[in-house]
Amino acid sequence: MRALVLSDIHGNLEALTAVLAAAGEWDVLWNLGDMVGYGASPNEVLDVVRPLATLTVRGNHDRVCSGLTSTRNFNPTARAAAKWTMEALSAQNLEWLRGLPQGPLEPERKTPDEAHVSLAHGSPLNEDQYIQNMRDAWAPLRQMATAITFVGHTHIQGGFAQKDHDWHELRPRYGSRAGSEMSTLAIEPEMRYLINPGAVGQPRDFDWRAAFAIYHSEAREVVFHRVPYDVAAAQQRVRRAGLPERLAARLKEGR
Ligand code: ZN
């Protein structure tokens, strides 16, 4: 089984289009949330991703942009974008966002020998918490019952792994294969993982290219991918929408 794992699309249609073209064939699509907020194409992104996603976990921006919680904890730029997004979203998309489940979710396994997997937006213990370092990863790695938890929220591709006293950070080291760049992580038995596919629509690891991951359950590997996209077109849409300039500039900076 091949699962396409996406997170943090953030209304960036150009990045999503490039990712879907580069992903090749997959059996299921696991969507870790924050489909809207920041970017200028929230409805277009939802129209593409809604029918494709097998499972979707809500993100904090999905929650705030659909009016479920206030913008109080957002910085002024995120708040301005959330307000713009809420006004731009169709009634149908707003309603769909409001009905999304909070993580963690457990996808059904296709065969009994597949690893147990969970999906969350932020920490599986708290959807608003960022897992940025080993200290943040410690509690979820110890407490999660599943071997692999896919998470988003930080917009940084990679993750954390633990087996007994071996704790380490996972950082993709890309090699080129068939055009797009990728990095393969072998899933080891008894090791436990928090894996972040990176952000499709607003990477923050100083690499502007759209990020995603493919999980192969039989091969027991996760492949991290980076794919270039039409960033100038995405920036132009942000500027034309009258969203804060910072939201256009940061796309090319990858931060
Ligand atoms: Zn996000």
Side-chain angles (χ1 to χ4, degrees), residues 7-10 32-38 59-61 121 130 152-155 199 202 204:
S7 194
D8 298 280
I9 304 167
H10 281 294
L32 308 181
D34 273 8
M35 290 154 278
V36 302
Y38 298 136
N60 55 319
H61 285 258
H121 179 68
Y130 292 90
H153 200 37
T154 62
H155 300 205
Q202 195 201 75
R204 293 180 193 161

Side-chain angles (χ1 to χ4, degrees), residues 34 80 144 188 214:
D34 273 8
M144 287 307 286
E188 292 174 34
I214 303 259

Side-chain angles (χ1 to χ4, degrees), residues 1-5 27-32 54-57 103-111 114-120 144 146-150 215 217:
M1 196 257 326
R2 278 167 61 93
L4 170 60
V5 190
D27 302 301
V28 292
L29 193 164
W30 295 339
N31 178 8
L32 308 181
T54 313
L55 276 177
T56 300
V57 180
L105 301 183
E106 275 188 46
E108 210 178 302
R109 291 183 307 155
K110 307 274 184 211
T111 60
E114 266 180 34
H116 286 271
V117 170
S118 298
L119 312 177
M144 287 307 286
T146 53
I148 305 171
T149 305
F150 287 103
Y215 167 56
S217 61

